[in-house]
Amino acid sequence: MSDDEDIQAERLAIRKRAMDLLARREHAYKELVTKLAKHEHARDEIEIVLDGLVDDDLLSDVRFAEASVASKARRGVGPVRIRAELMQAGVTESVIDTALADSEADWVAIAGAAREKRFGPDWPEDFPTKAKQMRFLQRRGFDGDQLAAVFD
């Protein structure tokens, strides 16, 4: 096989593996680069293939961010933690801001539901219990304003 045929075969293998991953769920560009690099593909070839997938609208950080926000909100995760996880996945801050702003999530209601699921319907009677519940919600990614609204 010639070098050109080797390159085409590698790109085809990268594309197939990327499409298999995208068939399961949306991925961020950087996330796919990392996963594909583990299979010993050349990084520059990975980026060429992924750029093609972006051009074909098969790979989108915007769709990944929107899907992540919706999925994590349904599981009771707050916007602070969602933002951190998206940043770690390599999504730009402007895309994250847009995804969070466009989501229909009522963060106070989500925080309240997460509190009730974890601790039951009864409200805390004393400060140590309230503080424990607030720390739980903070770890889940809710900010101070959302916590105040839940406990008011």
Side-chain angles (χ1 to χ4, degrees):
M1 246 197 288
S2 70
D3 285 344
D4 194 38
E5 289 173 337
D6 288 344
I7 291 170
Q8 290 305 324
E10 177 159 3
R11 287 183 183 170
L12 188 60
I14 294 168
R15 183 177 174 92
K16 181 182 179 329
R17 187 165 273 139
M19 293 300 295
D20 287 346
L21 291 167
L22 287 168
R24 292 184 189 104
R25 68 168 177 87
E26 293 287 345
H27 284 74
Y29 186 98
K30 180 182 169 190
E31 186 181 30
L32 268 185
V33 169
T34 303
K35 285 185 177 186
L36 293 169
K38 290 179 182 175
H39 293 279
E40 299 181 9
H41 294 296
R43 195 168 198 81
D44 56 337
E45 295 300 324
I46 292 170
E47 291 178 1
I48 289 169
V49 171
L50 294 185
D51 289 344
L53 293 176
V54 169
D55 292 342
D56 295 341
D57 199 32
L58 296 171
L59 174 62
S60 167
D61 279 357
V62 172
R63 264 197 327 267
F64 171 73
E66 290 169 349
S68 291
V69 169
S71 169
K72 291 175 191 310
R74 279 192 304 273
R75 292 186 324 199
V77 177
V80 174
R81 184 163 157 194
I82 292 171
R83 175 182 297 282
E85 291 174 3
L86 289 173
M87 295 277 290
Q88 188 174 7
V91 179
T92 63
E93 203 158 332
S94 62
V95 170
I96 296 170
D97 290 342
T98 303
L100 288 170
D102 289 351
S103 81
E104 307 265 325
D106 179 350
W107 298 112
V108 174
I110 293 169
R115 188 210 69 79
E116 187 170 328
K117 182 178 179 182
R118 175 80 162 90
F119 298 104
D122 297 332
W123 288 94
E125 303 269 331
D126 56 4
F127 182 75
T129 306
K130 180 179 177 182
K132 177 181 179 181
Q133 292 183 14
M134 291 179 95
R135 284 192 306 273
F136 166 76
L137 291 175
Q138 276 184 313
R139 285 190 306 275
R140 292 298 289 262
F142 296 98
D143 66 26
D145 292 341
Q146 292 155 350
L147 295 179
V150 167
F151 287 96
D152 281 347

